[in-house]
Amino acid sequence: MPSSTSSNGQTTYDVLIIGAGLAGLSAANDLHRAGLNVLIVDKGRGLGGRLAGRRIGNATFDHGAQFMTARNSRFQASVAEWIEAGVAEEWYSSYPGHPNGHPRYRGVPTMTAVAKYLATDMNVLRTTRVDSITQEDRLWSAALDNGETVSAKALLITSPVPQTIDLLASGNIQIPADKQARLDRIDYEACIAVMAVLDGPTAIPVPGATAFDDGPIGWISDNLQKGVSKIPAVTIHGSGDFSAEHFEHDKMQTGQTLIDAAAPYLGDAKVTEYQVHGWRYSKPTIVDSEACMLLSEFTDLPPLALAGDAFAGPRFEGAVLSGWAAAKSLIAAPSS
């Protein structure tokens, strides 16, 4: 699928990828290595999707995905490469009350470092939303919110599935009934994330993280112990049930509720400032059995694939594996 230039000078990309999260960036790397001309479009300012970092004064936070594990052999090799490049390191393999498990790795200095590394040499258009997609003459056309239009021979969508379904509907893209049923089955839980700056160290035991099976808090981590922040700062993730119940409530009030619930883990430290972020599609709770979905298979559509952690599993590793699988399916898909 060599790229081409039209008579008006506009480039037709080999593959347009919607979403610069782990799935999109991982797919882009494989497609780029295959010699294809790839454009990634993302509505966010940063890279990595739910790999998210934020600064509040002198405090730094990982407020999205907190770590990664590595089970797949190719992914283990990638993690080793990231460690060698200085953008990842092992964080811990257990915390109090839990047996040793797979090593947990973190991004250095924050989780977004891995996404930035994956975006090296990639063509990424940020702070740009794809408003609609259509297909004609074996090409995909994406209308962007900046008024421009992008054409591509193949399309990969990596946004959360409910948003993907809406985008496909914008262009009246007909989805095979069996695949539509699989997409409709996928579900997500929300997460309310609190980033709180403290005036002293926390009482969270080494390694600086605790997960909870019940109650309003799902996770709390000490960004200072983790090595993310230079000053005391905690990330508090609301549980799935709490976040769903309070997602439309006043964010600051909800954040204070979580801070109050976290008091035993803050020790004598007091919160001096905090911010709240809501992840509407934080983590898939029901995932598809396949690593990606080639929607164009057995249709007249140009190559069209879906990827993300809703396909290969709700983990950092799952999103990467899904991106790799989607790239493989698009490389193999007939383009004409």
Side-chain angles (χ1 to χ4, degrees), residues 26-308:
S26 299
N29 275 263
D30 276 10
L31 293 165
H32 181 72
R33 277 191 288 267
L36 302 181
N37 187 14
V38 180
L39 174 67
I40 309 169
V41 178
D42 194 282
K43 64 183 180 181
R45 291 194 304 270
L47 297 164
R50 280 162 283 174
L51 295 187
R54 185 177 297 191
R55 293 184 63 88
I56 303 176
N58 292 321
T60 306
F61 302 81
D62 277 333
H63 71 279
Q66 294 290 304
F67 60 80
M68 54 186 156
T69 56
R71 297 167 173 80
N72 173 273
S73 59
R74 182 183 173 191
F75 186 71
Q76 289 173 339
S78 293
V79 172
E81 176 187 336
W82 300 336
I83 292 172
E84 178 69 22
V87 298
E89 68 179 21
E90 184 174 339
W91 180 15
Y92 70 91
S93 58
S94 68
Y95 48 81
H98 292 257
N100 284 340
H102 293 278
R104 268 71 167 174
Y105 301 94
R106 73 174 191 91
V108 178
T110 66
M111 293 295 287
T112 57
V114 176
K116 292 173 183 176
Y117 181 81
L118 289 172
T120 304
D121 298 328
M122 296 295 107
N123 188 4
V124 185
L125 188 60
R126 291 188 257 183
T127 63
T128 305
R129 182 187 300 271
V130 175
D131 284 336
S132 63
I133 56 171
T134 55
Q135 67 89 20
E136 186 177 2
D137 297 331
R138 300 300 301 169
L139 289 177
W140 291 105
S141 180
L144 310 181
D145 64 356
N146 62 8
E148 297 180 5
T149 300
V150 174
S151 296
K153 300 175 183 178
L155 177 63
L156 171 59
I157 307 176
T158 67
S159 50
V161 168
Q163 296 176 349
T164 298
I165 291 173
D166 289 343
L167 186 60
L168 293 169
S170 72
N172 195 31
I173 307 302
Q174 299 301 309
I175 304 172
D178 60 328
K179 292 185 171 68
Q180 181 69 62
R182 286 165 55 191
L183 294 178
D184 289 340
R185 184 175 176 273
I186 293 170
D187 200 10
Y188 294 78
E189 71 177 17
C191 178
I192 295 172
V194 179
M195 295 146 278
V197 184
L198 307 177
D199 64 1
T202 71
I204 301 172
V206 175
T210 302
F212 302 84
D213 294 326
D214 51 43
I217 299 176
W219 169 272
I220 185 169
S221 64
D222 183 327
N223 291 282
L224 178 60
Q225 282 197 60
K226 189 177 182 181
V228 170
S229 183
K230 295 179 180 178
I231 66 172
V234 294
T235 297
I236 308 168
H237 281 173
S239 66
D241 289 343
F242 177 90
S243 297
E245 181 181 349
H246 293 83
F247 200 83
E248 301 299 338
H249 295 181
D250 180 89
K251 287 287 191 291
M252 296 305 285
Q253 291 181 10
T254 300
Q256 186 62 58
T257 300
L258 288 171
I259 289 170
D260 292 344
Y265 296 87
L266 303 185
D268 295 329
K270 299 293 188 292
V271 174
T272 61
E273 186 178 359
Y274 71 95
Q275 296 179 8
V276 182
H277 180 82
W279 301 98
R280 185 175 295 277
Y281 304 109
S282 169
K283 183 175 70 174
T285 54
I286 299 176
V287 300
D288 191 69
S289 59
E290 299 297 327
C292 69
M293 184 180 291
L294 186 63
L295 274 183
S296 55
E297 188 178 28
F298 308 126
T299 75
D300 293 329
L301 295 172
L304 167 62
L306 309 184

